[in-house]
Amino acid sequence: MSILVLAEHHDGQLADATAHVVAAAQAIGGDIDVLVAGQDVAAVAEAAAKLDGVSKVRVADSETFAHLLAEPTADLLVALADDYSHVLAAASTTGKNVLPRLAALKDVAQISEIIAVESGDTFKRPIYAGNAIATVQSEDALKVITVRSTAFDAVGQGGSAAIEPVEASIDNSLSSFVGEELAKSDRPELGAARVVISGGRGMGSGENFKILDNIADKLGAAIGASRAAVDAGFVPNDMQVGQTGKIVAPDLYIAVGISGAIQHLAGMKDSKVIVAINKDEEAPIFQVADYGLVADLFEAIPELDSKL
Amino acid sequence: MKVLVAVKRVIDYNVKIRVKPDGSDVDLTNVKMAMNPFCEIAVEEAVRLKEKGVATEVVAVTVGPKAAQEQLRTALALGADRAIHVESDERVESLGAAKALAKVVEKEAPQLVILGKQAIDSDNNQTGQMLAALTGMAQGTFASEVEVEGETLKVIREIDGGLQTVSLKLPAVVTTDLRLNEPRYAKLPDIMKAKKKPMDVMTPADLGVEVASRLKLVKVEPPAERQGGVKVGSVDELVDKLKNEAKVIS
Ligand SMILES: Cc1cc2nc3c(=O)[nH]c(=O)nc-3n(C[C@H](O)[C@H](O)[C@H](O)COP(=O)(O)OP(=O)(O)OC[C@H]3O[C@@H](n4cnc5c(N)ncnc54)[C@H](O)[C@@H]3O)c2cc1C
Ligand SMILES: Nc1ncnc2c1ncn2[C@@H]1O[C@H](COP(=O)(O)O)[C@@H](O)[C@H]1O
């Protein structure tokens, strides 16, 4: 088997997710190549070459691939896919955007967001907001797969793979990049943080979210949110944790003023330790919490801050 | 311009499913079904485009069993002008749905196709992207804002790091994210009127496609249950447990 992993990168840096996807590729077994597509991505390619288990890094460095728009990136993958039995990417917004397009162009099904590898053609994935785990088998010649990063431990960085350019002339007249508004934060990335503290509708306002900052600083935590908090405009969309937001599985997840709807639980119930702070003792979040504190968050949070 | 909206019949989002004891699938007998929430957002966006005078006709389409006509009627009640039912009792997944939708696109030649970003049953998040690929169209996935600007479509997309704006050549495919709009409820008179709106029924064979999933469902099992935890009486006790019992903070 030979596997192509589409590298995820931001701001000229290889994203953590890629090391997790390579781990999933290792679980499948076989030769693993990493494709780095983008513009000015030499540093990304070097970082990818260091990942354990990677045989070769293929680099498509061109303006066409800047921002990894789906149309040209899928065409590039189509041009390369015949060399491979599997194409993998993280189940990030990039992977989710690009890979189904590749799959359809190759007339194969896509297997979304796998959490375990049973064999080269059989995988486990959550369905119904994680309330069931399906084992699915693909008989397609090419397996196109997105990987839930939190389900696979990242590979190490002791590798030294060869780096070679990809010659492919792809153009894109369908779509163009206009701009982006990226959240800037000194905090760890939500998907990769060891501790996550999330606020829900109970926070009451965007201003009130600031009371989580000190605790996040002390614990080195990322800050997340429920959909209700995002919809209410308290915080931006990239902070949403859940079935249709980010999936997190930190060592410690602290849910503050969050009721625990199944769509929220889908995004955080694989956390190692869950703490819930909610004034309603009947809130469903307490059913998954290891430690539940029934309290008004506006009293409990400042106190917690002072005691850490 | 004509707008095509794809809607899927799924389990109601409030229902917690159960896995069948034989592990063959989830148990959907007597479970409340509804339009996929992201499809409601798709219908709403199409109807708003019509109300703004941008869209001239809104056509709702589904691929699925007879009962899925309920969801088409809902779309008609919400403001779609007519509906197309591609009837199939097979287990249809994203690729099969996209193939049937691509044939409908060929016949109808819409300028814009709007789908949900994700069906909350399979959680696939694939169909819109696949449809775009099969029809050679551009795709604006996970949209939180859509604007027709002459021959192009501006789409603001919700991405992991924030928001991205792209410009797409029309015709194009859009998939909806949660912040695109807040769907309305159907009013009783509109529900009555919807019964009289036209609905075309056809089969995948009529369209010359196969829709049955090629992925074999080997087994479905419940997720590992979390052990129920404890309630702590105070912030002090919480900090103590986290330090000394769970050892996740120091
Ligand atoms: C298609 C679809 C997709 C969805 N995807 C997601 C998703 O990805 N992520 C997600 O989170 N949700 C998602 N949802 C929404 C989900 O169903 C819930 O509506 C949402 O999670 C509720 O957010 P919440 O817990 O913050 O708000 P609420 O349910 O309103 O809960 C607020 C909680 O705060 C508590 N509270 C209030 N004031 C205080 C106080 N002073 N001190 C302590 N506690 C207080 C209350 O007791 C209550 O339990 C989705 C829904 C749909 C239909
Ligand atoms: N069988 C179907 N019939 C009509 N539309 C569908 C069907 N399956 C998926 N879709 C559309 O594709 C979206 C995403 O579904 P999926 O990619 O399968 O998660 C849904 O919100 C629908 O808009």
Side-chain angles (χ1 to χ4, degrees):
Chain A
M1 279 179 284
S2 52
I3 303 170
L4 183 64
V5 170
L6 176 66
E8 177 101 14
H9 56 89
H10 308 285
D11 291 332
Q13 291 203 317
L14 183 70
D16 266 354
T18 307
H20 297 263
V21 179
V22 170
Q26 279 188 323
I28 294 168
D31 270 351
I32 302 168
D33 291 355
V34 173
L35 172 65
V36 177
Q39 187 176 21
D40 299 327
V41 286
V44 178
E46 268 162 44
K50 291 201 181 80
L51 295 178
D52 286 340
V54 175
S55 343
K56 192 163 70 185
V57 176
R58 306 181 71 176
V59 186
D61 199 323
S62 138
E63 203 187 333
T64 315
F65 304 121
H67 312 291
L68 291 175
L69 296 182
E71 298 81 4
T73 310
D75 285 348
L76 173 66
L77 286 166
V78 169
L80 303 178
D82 287 346
D83 296 343
Y84 299 96
S85 56
H86 298 69
V87 176
L88 269 57
S92 61
T93 48
T94 303
K96 288 174 178 170
N97 193 31
V98 173
L99 256 61
R101 197 168 172 107
L102 161 70
L105 292 170
K106 296 298 293 178
D107 192 22
V108 300
Q110 180 194 269
I111 305 159
S112 291
E113 210 150 351
I114 62 164
I115 55 167
V117 173
E118 300 289 287
S119 73
D121 65 6
T122 306
F123 309 91
K124 282 189 196 268
R125 57 177 304 264
I127 53 176
Y128 293 88
N131 287 307
I133 307 295
T135 303
V136 294
Q137 185 175 22
S138 161
E139 282 161 17
D140 289 320
L142 177 69
K143 275 91 179 156
V144 176
I145 296 170
T146 61
V147 176
R148 180 173 287 188
S149 305
T150 54
F152 296 87
D153 290 333
V155 297
Q157 304 192 13
S160 57
I163 299 178
E164 60 180 49
V166 173
E167 303 304 338
S169 56
I170 307 282
D171 52 29
N172 174 23
S173 57
L174 291 174
S175 61
S176 58
F177 173 82
V178 177
E180 60 192 1
E181 241 176 84
L182 297 184
K184 281 184 213 69
S185 166
D186 301 331
R187 299 219 159 79
E189 210 191 312
L190 251 184
R194 206 188 60 79
V195 180
V196 173
I197 180 163
S198 289
R201 199 198 307 269
M203 298 300 295
S205 72
E207 188 60 28
N208 290 343
F209 255 78
K210 294 201 180 112
I211 64 171
L212 303 180
D213 284 352
N214 264 333
I215 298 178
D217 287 343
K218 286 181 185 166
L219 298 177
I223 299 185
S226 71
R227 171 191 174 181
V230 177
D231 282 5
F234 299 171
V235 293
N237 64 282
D238 57 279
M239 288 169 65
Q240 180 179 316
V241 170
Q243 179 187 18
T244 59
K246 295 230 169 73
I247 307 291
V248 302
D251 290 346
L252 174 60
Y253 187 89
I254 307 176
V256 185
I258 291 178
S259 62
I262 52 176
Q263 293 86 5
H264 188 79
L265 302 185
M268 44 65 79
K269 72 180 157 73
D270 291 331
S271 304
K272 210 177 276 165
V273 174
I274 295 174
V275 170
I277 300 175
N278 194 306
K279 67 179 180 190
D280 171 12
E281 64 176 316
E282 302 291 322
I285 189 77
F286 288 124
Q287 289 162 22
V288 300
D290 299 281
Y291 304 111
L293 178 63
V294 180
D296 188 312
L297 71 92
F298 296 106
E299 286 161 23
I301 291 298
E303 188 182 344
L304 179 61
D305 180 17
S306 72
K307 287 183 172 151
L308 285 175
Chain B
M1 68 187 221
K2 189 194 280 187
V3 181
L4 190 72
V5 189
V7 301
K8 186 178 184 190
R9 174 185 175 85
V10 298
I11 187 168
D12 182 271
Y13 79 96
N14 277 314
V15 175
K16 187 160 188 281
I17 55 98
R18 271 172 308 116
V19 171
K20 286 185 187 166
D22 68 358
S24 60
D25 205 340
V26 298
D27 192 351
L28 293 182
T29 33
N30 299 322
V31 165
K32 186 172 172 219
M33 302 294 280
M35 187 190 292
N36 185 42
F38 287 100
C39 302
E40 291 179 350
I41 299 172
V43 172
E44 177 68 30
E45 195 64 17
V47 171
R48 287 190 193 185
L49 284 171
K50 190 168 173 206
E51 288 167 349
K52 277 196 271 181
V54 178
T56 47
E57 189 185 25
V58 176
V59 182
V61 50
T62 195
V63 185
K66 182 121 205 158
Q69 289 189 3
E70 284 170 32
Q71 280 62 49
L72 287 177
R73 290 288 166 205
T74 304
L76 294 169
L78 291 168
D81 298 295
R82 61 188 172 87
I84 298 173
H85 179 206
V86 182
E87 190 173 343
S88 170
D89 289 323
E90 305 272 10
R91 195 169 58 84
V92 180
E93 283 210 55
S94 305
L95 181 64
K99 283 182 176 180
L101 293 172
K103 289 293 179 186
V104 173
V105 165
E106 214 174 89
K107 285 171 86 134
E108 294 284 336
Q111 279 293 95
L112 180 62
V113 190
I114 313 180
L115 302 88
K117 83 162 176 183
Q118 179 173 338
I120 60 161
D121 50 2
S122 68
D123 281 332
N124 263 352
N125 196 331
Q126 304 174 0
T127 308
Q129 298 87 314
M130 288 180 156
L131 174 62
L134 296 175
T135 53
M137 290 194 219
Q139 65 188 54
T141 51
F142 327 144
S144 68
E145 209 179 303
V146 184
E147 208 174 319
V148 179
E149 297 177 332
E151 297 296 295
T152 60
L153 185 74
K154 189 181 94 176
V155 181
I156 301 183
R157 307 180 52 232
E158 295 199 0
I159 60 169
D160 286 338
L163 296 171
Q164 179 188 66
T165 307
V166 292
S167 171
L168 310 178
K169 202 170 115 186
L170 288 170
V173 171
V174 163
T175 75
T176 61
D177 215 320
L178 295 168
R179 262 68 61 179
L180 184 57
N181 60 49
E182 225 176 282
R184 70 193 70 186
Y185 293 98
K187 294 196 210 74
L188 192 60
D190 294 330
I191 295 172
M192 299 313 288
K193 261 192 270 172
K195 293 188 177 150
K196 298 203 191 71
K197 289 188 180 176
M199 184 180 309
D200 273 348
V201 181
M202 58 193 76
T203 64
D206 294 336
L207 295 168
V209 290
E210 281 188 27
V211 296
S213 176
R214 294 205 300 245
L215 281 181
K216 190 167 148 209
L217 192 56
V218 178
K219 180 170 74 179
V220 176
E221 57 201 319
E225 281 292 324
R226 275 194 86 90
Q227 292 293 322
V230 297
K231 291 248 171 72
V232 292
S234 66
V235 170
D236 282 320
E237 191 184 342
L238 175 63
V239 172
D240 175 64
K241 296 266 192 201
L242 290 177
K243 275 188 182 154
N244 302 316
E245 191 175 270
K247 299 190 166 62
V248 283
I249 63 173
S250 49

mmCIF file of all heavy atoms in Angstrom, chain A residues 144-179:
data_model
loop_
_atom_site.group_PDB
_atom_site.id
_atom_site.type_symbol
_atom_site.label_atom_id
_atom_site.label_comp_id
_atom_site.label_asym_id
_atom_site.label_seq_id
_atom_site.Cartn_x
_atom_site.Cartn_y
_atom_site.Cartn_z
ATOM 1 N N VAL A 144 -10.231 7.359 0.000
ATOM 2 C CA VAL A 144 -10.067 8.776 0.313
ATOM 3 C C VAL A 144 -10.638 8.993 1.714
ATOM 4 O O VAL A 144 -11.807 8.690 1.963
ATOM 5 C CB VAL A 144 -10.791 9.653 -0.722
ATOM 6 C CG1 VAL A 144 -10.707 11.121 -0.347
ATOM 7 C CG2 VAL A 144 -10.199 9.420 -2.120
ATOM 8 N N ILE A 145 -9.787 9.477 2.619
ATOM 9 C CA ILE A 145 -10.128 9.416 4.039
ATOM 10 C C ILE A 145 -9.768 10.722 4.737
ATOM 11 O O ILE A 145 -8.665 11.245 4.554
ATOM 12 C CB ILE A 145 -9.329 8.265 4.704
ATOM 13 C CG1 ILE A 145 -9.741 6.919 4.110
ATOM 14 C CG2 ILE A 145 -9.498 8.267 6.222
ATOM 15 C CD1 ILE A 145 -8.835 5.759 4.522
ATOM 16 N N THR A 146 -10.675 11.251 5.560
ATOM 17 C CA THR A 146 -10.257 12.303 6.490
ATOM 18 C C THR A 146 -10.126 11.692 7.883
ATOM 19 O O THR A 146 -10.814 10.741 8.226
ATOM 20 C CB THR A 146 -11.221 13.507 6.519
ATOM 21 O OG1 THR A 146 -12.515 13.071 6.935
ATOM 22 C CG2 THR A 146 -11.308 14.180 5.146
ATOM 23 N N VAL A 147 -9.221 12.274 8.663
ATOM 24 C CA VAL A 147 -8.811 11.680 9.926
ATOM 25 C C VAL A 147 -9.106 12.636 11.077
ATOM 26 O O VAL A 147 -8.767 13.826 11.009
ATOM 27 C CB VAL A 147 -7.287 11.401 9.898
ATOM 28 C CG1 VAL A 147 -6.805 10.874 11.255
ATOM 29 C CG2 VAL A 147 -6.946 10.416 8.784
ATOM 30 N N ARG A 148 -9.759 12.139 12.108
ATOM 31 C CA ARG A 148 -9.937 12.951 13.316
ATOM 32 C C ARG A 148 -8.612 12.963 14.079
ATOM 33 O O ARG A 148 -8.194 11.942 14.644
ATOM 34 C CB ARG A 148 -11.068 12.382 14.179
ATOM 35 C CG ARG A 148 -11.282 13.200 15.430
ATOM 36 C CD ARG A 148 -12.484 12.771 16.213
ATOM 37 N NE ARG A 148 -13.721 13.170 15.542
ATOM 38 C CZ ARG A 148 -14.932 13.050 16.101
ATOM 39 N NH1 ARG A 148 -15.054 12.537 17.305
ATOM 40 N NH2 ARG A 148 -16.002 13.438 15.435
ATOM 41 N N SER A 149 -7.967 14.101 14.099
ATOM 42 C CA SER A 149 -6.603 14.189 14.645
ATOM 43 C C SER A 149 -6.512 13.727 16.086
ATOM 44 O O SER A 149 -5.538 13.081 16.477
ATOM 45 C CB SER A 149 -6.088 15.631 14.574
ATOM 46 O OG SER A 149 -6.184 16.107 13.262
ATOM 47 N N THR A 150 -7.540 14.057 16.890
ATOM 48 C CA THR A 150 -7.445 13.747 18.308
ATOM 49 C C THR A 150 -7.468 12.243 18.579
ATOM 50 O O THR A 150 -7.157 11.809 19.675
ATOM 51 C CB THR A 150 -8.612 14.393 19.084
ATOM 52 O OG1 THR A 150 -9.847 13.991 18.471
ATOM 53 C CG2 THR A 150 -8.530 15.908 19.047
ATOM 54 N N ALA A 151 -7.830 11.456 17.573
ATOM 55 C CA ALA A 151 -7.937 10.012 17.791
ATOM 56 C C ALA A 151 -6.620 9.267 17.548
ATOM 57 O O ALA A 151 -6.524 8.073 17.811
ATOM 58 C CB ALA A 151 -9.041 9.432 16.909
ATOM 59 N N PHE A 152 -5.617 9.973 17.033
ATOM 60 C CA PHE A 152 -4.327 9.330 16.742
ATOM 61 C C PHE A 152 -3.196 10.152 17.370
ATOM 62 O O PHE A 152 -3.140 11.369 17.171
ATOM 63 C CB PHE A 152 -4.106 9.232 15.217
ATOM 64 C CG PHE A 152 -5.108 8.353 14.521
ATOM 65 C CD1 PHE A 152 -6.324 8.868 14.088
ATOM 66 C CD2 PHE A 152 -4.859 6.994 14.331
ATOM 67 C CE1 PHE A 152 -7.270 8.051 13.468
ATOM 68 C CE2 PHE A 152 -5.794 6.174 13.717
ATOM 69 C CZ PHE A 152 -7.003 6.703 13.275
ATOM 70 N N ASP A 153 -2.307 9.502 18.100
ATOM 71 C CA ASP A 153 -1.175 10.218 18.696
ATOM 72 C C ASP A 153 -0.190 10.619 17.605
ATOM 73 O O ASP A 153 0.124 9.825 16.720
ATOM 74 C CB ASP A 153 -0.461 9.326 19.717
ATOM 75 C CG ASP A 153 -1.320 9.120 20.958
ATOM 76 O OD1 ASP A 153 -2.145 10.019 21.255
ATOM 77 O OD2 ASP A 153 -1.181 8.070 21.614
ATOM 78 N N ALA A 154 0.298 11.834 17.699
ATOM 79 C CA ALA A 154 1.210 12.358 16.678
ATOM 80 C C ALA A 154 2.470 11.498 16.580
ATOM 81 O O ALA A 154 2.949 10.957 17.576
ATOM 82 C CB ALA A 154 1.600 13.794 17.027
ATOM 83 N N VAL A 155 3.009 11.365 15.365
ATOM 84 C CA VAL A 155 4.299 10.687 15.218
ATOM 85 C C VAL A 155 5.407 11.642 15.660
ATOM 86 O O VAL A 155 5.203 12.856 15.750
ATOM 87 C CB VAL A 155 4.555 10.242 13.751
ATOM 88 C CG1 VAL A 155 3.517 9.232 13.310
ATOM 89 C CG2 VAL A 155 4.594 11.443 12.803
ATOM 90 N N GLY A 156 6.585 11.089 15.914
ATOM 91 C CA GLY A 156 7.722 11.890 16.341
ATOM 92 C C GLY A 156 8.360 12.633 15.176
ATOM 93 O O GLY A 156 7.861 12.602 14.045
ATOM 94 N N GLN A 157 9.486 13.292 15.487
ATOM 95 C CA GLN A 157 10.097 14.144 14.468
ATOM 96 C C GLN A 157 11.540 13.786 14.213
ATOM 97 O O GLN A 157 12.414 14.642 14.097
ATOM 98 C CB GLN A 157 9.997 15.605 14.894
ATOM 99 C CG GLN A 157 8.558 15.982 15.152
ATOM 100 C CD GLN A 157 8.376 17.474 15.285
ATOM 101 O OE1 GLN A 157 9.273 18.241 14.946
ATOM 102 N NE2 GLN A 157 7.226 17.878 15.781
ATOM 103 N N GLY A 158 11.797 12.480 14.139
ATOM 104 C CA GLY A 158 13.179 12.054 13.920
ATOM 105 C C GLY A 158 13.472 11.653 12.488
ATOM 106 O O GLY A 158 14.503 11.058 12.198
ATOM 107 N N GLY A 159 12.591 11.973 11.577
ATOM 108 C CA GLY A 159 12.737 11.515 10.200
ATOM 109 C C GLY A 159 13.612 12.430 9.346
ATOM 110 O O GLY A 159 14.017 13.509 9.770
ATOM 111 N N SER A 160 13.927 11.948 8.153
ATOM 112 C CA SER A 160 14.659 12.788 7.204
ATOM 113 C C SER A 160 14.290 12.330 5.794
ATOM 114 O O SER A 160 15.089 11.738 5.078
ATOM 115 C CB SER A 160 16.158 12.690 7.431
ATOM 116 O OG SER A 160 16.540 11.333 7.319
ATOM 117 N N ALA A 161 13.063 12.597 5.426
ATOM 118 C CA ALA A 161 12.557 12.162 4.128
ATOM 119 C C ALA A 161 13.114 13.029 3.009
ATOM 120 O O ALA A 161 13.500 14.176 3.234
ATOM 121 C CB ALA A 161 11.030 12.234 4.131
ATOM 122 N N ALA A 162 13.147 12.446 1.821
ATOM 123 C CA ALA A 162 13.555 13.213 0.641
ATOM 124 C C ALA A 162 12.456 14.211 0.295
ATOM 125 O O ALA A 162 11.280 13.963 0.537
ATOM 126 C CB ALA A 162 13.768 12.261 -0.530
ATOM 127 N N ILE A 163 12.888 15.351 -0.251
ATOM 128 C CA ILE A 163 11.910 16.362 -0.672
ATOM 129 C C ILE A 163 12.036 16.526 -2.180
ATOM 130 O O ILE A 163 13.132 16.711 -2.692
ATOM 131 C CB ILE A 163 12.204 17.724 0.005
ATOM 132 C CG1 ILE A 163 12.099 17.584 1.530
ATOM 133 C CG2 ILE A 163 11.263 18.811 -0.511
ATOM 134 C CD1 ILE A 163 12.408 18.846 2.308
ATOM 135 N N GLU A 164 10.927 16.405 -2.886
ATOM 136 C CA GLU A 164 11.024 16.614 -4.328
ATOM 137 C C GLU A 164 9.840 17.422 -4.858
ATOM 138 O O GLU A 164 8.738 17.335 -4.331
ATOM 139 C CB GLU A 164 11.140 15.277 -5.065
ATOM 140 C CG GLU A 164 9.974 14.345 -4.861
ATOM 141 C CD GLU A 164 10.182 13.035 -5.641
ATOM 142 O OE1 GLU A 164 11.284 12.441 -5.524
ATOM 143 O OE2 GLU A 164 9.257 12.647 -6.353
ATOM 144 N N PRO A 165 10.080 18.219 -5.871
ATOM 145 C CA PRO A 165 8.995 19.041 -6.396
ATOM 146 C C PRO A 165 8.025 18.211 -7.238
ATOM 147 O O PRO A 165 8.398 17.198 -7.813
ATOM 148 C CB PRO A 165 9.702 20.069 -7.272
ATOM 149 C CG PRO A 165 10.995 19.441 -7.634
ATOM 150 C CD PRO A 165 11.355 18.464 -6.561
ATOM 151 N N VAL A 166 6.783 18.648 -7.272
ATOM 152 C CA VAL A 166 5.783 18.024 -8.133
ATOM 153 C C VAL A 166 5.644 18.887 -9.377
ATOM 154 O O VAL A 166 5.488 20.104 -9.272
ATOM 155 C CB VAL A 166 4.402 17.991 -7.428
ATOM 156 C CG1 VAL A 166 3.333 17.509 -8.389
ATOM 157 C CG2 VAL A 166 4.453 17.130 -6.202
ATOM 158 N N GLU A 167 5.747 18.255 -10.520
ATOM 159 C CA GLU A 167 5.480 19.000 -11.748
ATOM 160 C C GLU A 167 4.042 18.719 -12.148
ATOM 161 O O GLU A 167 3.704 17.636 -12.570
ATOM 162 C CB GLU A 167 6.416 18.542 -12.888
ATOM 163 C CG GLU A 167 7.905 18.655 -12.583
ATOM 164 C CD GLU A 167 8.342 20.052 -12.183
ATOM 165 O OE1 GLU A 167 7.633 21.023 -12.519
ATOM 166 O OE2 GLU A 167 9.390 20.170 -11.508
ATOM 167 N N ALA A 168 3.215 19.707 -11.998
ATOM 168 C CA ALA A 168 1.824 19.531 -12.424
ATOM 169 C C ALA A 168 1.333 20.898 -12.857
ATOM 170 O O ALA A 168 1.532 21.879 -12.138
ATOM 171 C CB ALA A 168 0.975 19.002 -11.274
ATOM 172 N N SER A 169 0.768 20.955 -14.018
ATOM 173 C CA SER A 169 0.252 22.271 -14.412
ATOM 174 C C SER A 169 -1.256 22.276 -14.210
ATOM 175 O O SER A 169 -2.010 21.651 -14.935
ATOM 176 C CB SER A 169 0.614 22.591 -15.867
ATOM 177 O OG SER A 169 0.143 21.564 -16.696
ATOM 178 N N ILE A 170 -1.631 22.938 -13.147
ATOM 179 C CA ILE A 170 -3.035 23.020 -12.768
ATOM 180 C C ILE A 170 -3.405 24.500 -12.826
ATOM 181 O O ILE A 170 -2.647 25.339 -12.342
ATOM 182 C CB ILE A 170 -3.231 22.549 -11.306
ATOM 183 C CG1 ILE A 170 -2.622 21.155 -11.072
ATOM 184 C CG2 ILE A 170 -4.685 22.635 -10.898
ATOM 185 C CD1 ILE A 170 -3.406 19.995 -11.568
ATOM 186 N N ASP A 171 -4.523 24.803 -13.425
ATOM 187 C CA ASP A 171 -4.961 26.189 -13.269
ATOM 188 C C ASP A 171 -6.364 26.216 -12.690
ATOM 189 O O ASP A 171 -7.032 25.189 -12.581
ATOM 190 C CB ASP A 171 -4.839 26.994 -14.566
ATOM 191 C CG ASP A 171 -5.524 26.284 -15.721
ATOM 192 O OD1 ASP A 171 -6.504 25.551 -15.457
ATOM 193 O OD2 ASP A 171 -5.080 26.442 -16.855
ATOM 194 N N ASN A 172 -6.761 27.376 -12.285
ATOM 195 C CA ASN A 172 -8.034 27.504 -11.600
ATOM 196 C C ASN A 172 -8.755 28.745 -12.089
ATOM 197 O O ASN A 172 -8.362 29.855 -11.781
ATOM 198 C CB ASN A 172 -7.780 27.591 -10.087
ATOM 199 C CG ASN A 172 -9.062 27.876 -9.315
ATOM 200 O OD1 ASN A 172 -10.155 27.602 -9.799
ATOM 201 N ND2 ASN A 172 -8.921 28.440 -8.132
ATOM 202 N N SER A 173 -9.794 28.525 -12.854
ATOM 203 C CA SER A 173 -10.573 29.675 -13.318
ATOM 204 C C SER A 173 -11.933 29.714 -12.619
ATOM 205 O O SER A 173 -12.782 30.521 -12.921
ATOM 206 C CB SER A 173 -10.769 29.585 -14.829
ATOM 207 O OG SER A 173 -11.398 28.354 -15.131
ATOM 208 N N LEU A 174 -12.139 28.791 -11.666
ATOM 209 C CA LEU A 174 -13.441 28.693 -11.018
ATOM 210 C C LEU A 174 -13.570 29.576 -9.790
ATOM 211 O O LEU A 174 -14.622 30.141 -9.517
ATOM 212 C CB LEU A 174 -13.709 27.237 -10.604
ATOM 213 C CG LEU A 174 -13.955 26.210 -11.710
ATOM 214 C CD1 LEU A 174 -14.060 24.819 -11.108
ATOM 215 C CD2 LEU A 174 -15.217 26.551 -12.488
ATOM 216 N N SER A 175 -12.469 29.669 -9.030
ATOM 217 C CA SER A 175 -12.577 30.345 -7.738
ATOM 218 C C SER A 175 -11.357 31.214 -7.491
ATOM 219 O O SER A 175 -10.285 30.955 -8.026
ATOM 220 C CB SER A 175 -12.681 29.303 -6.620
ATOM 221 O OG SER A 175 -11.514 28.494 -6.596
ATOM 222 N N SER A 176 -11.528 32.239 -6.694
ATOM 223 C CA SER A 176 -10.360 33.009 -6.282
ATOM 224 C C SER A 176 -10.497 33.444 -4.835
ATOM 225 O O SER A 176 -11.609 33.586 -4.306
ATOM 226 C CB SER A 176 -10.151 34.213 -7.199
ATOM 227 O OG SER A 176 -11.298 35.024 -7.174
ATOM 228 N N PHE A 177 -9.348 33.618 -4.231
ATOM 229 C CA PHE A 177 -9.272 34.019 -2.828
ATOM 230 C C PHE A 177 -9.431 35.532 -2.744
ATOM 231 O O PHE A 177 -8.789 36.265 -3.486
ATOM 232 C CB PHE A 177 -7.906 33.593 -2.285
ATOM 233 C CG PHE A 177 -7.612 34.088 -0.904
ATOM 234 C CD1 PHE A 177 -8.094 33.424 0.207
ATOM 235 C CD2 PHE A 177 -6.838 35.231 -0.712
ATOM 236 C CE1 PHE A 177 -7.815 33.890 1.486
ATOM 237 C CE2 PHE A 177 -6.552 35.697 0.565
ATOM 238 C CZ PHE A 177 -7.045 35.022 1.670
ATOM 239 N N VAL A 178 -10.287 35.991 -1.861
ATOM 240 C CA VAL A 178 -10.486 37.433 -1.714
ATOM 241 C C VAL A 178 -9.820 37.954 -0.449
ATOM 242 O O VAL A 178 -9.143 38.978 -0.464
ATOM 243 C CB VAL A 178 -11.997 37.786 -1.709
ATOM 244 C CG1 VAL A 178 -12.203 39.281 -1.485
ATOM 245 C CG2 VAL A 178 -12.649 37.346 -3.013
ATOM 246 N N GLY A 179 -9.982 37.239 0.641
ATOM 247 C CA GLY A 179 -9.369 37.701 1.883
ATOM 248 C C GLY A 179 -9.702 36.782 3.032
ATOM 249 O O GLY A 179 -10.494 35.853 2.872
#
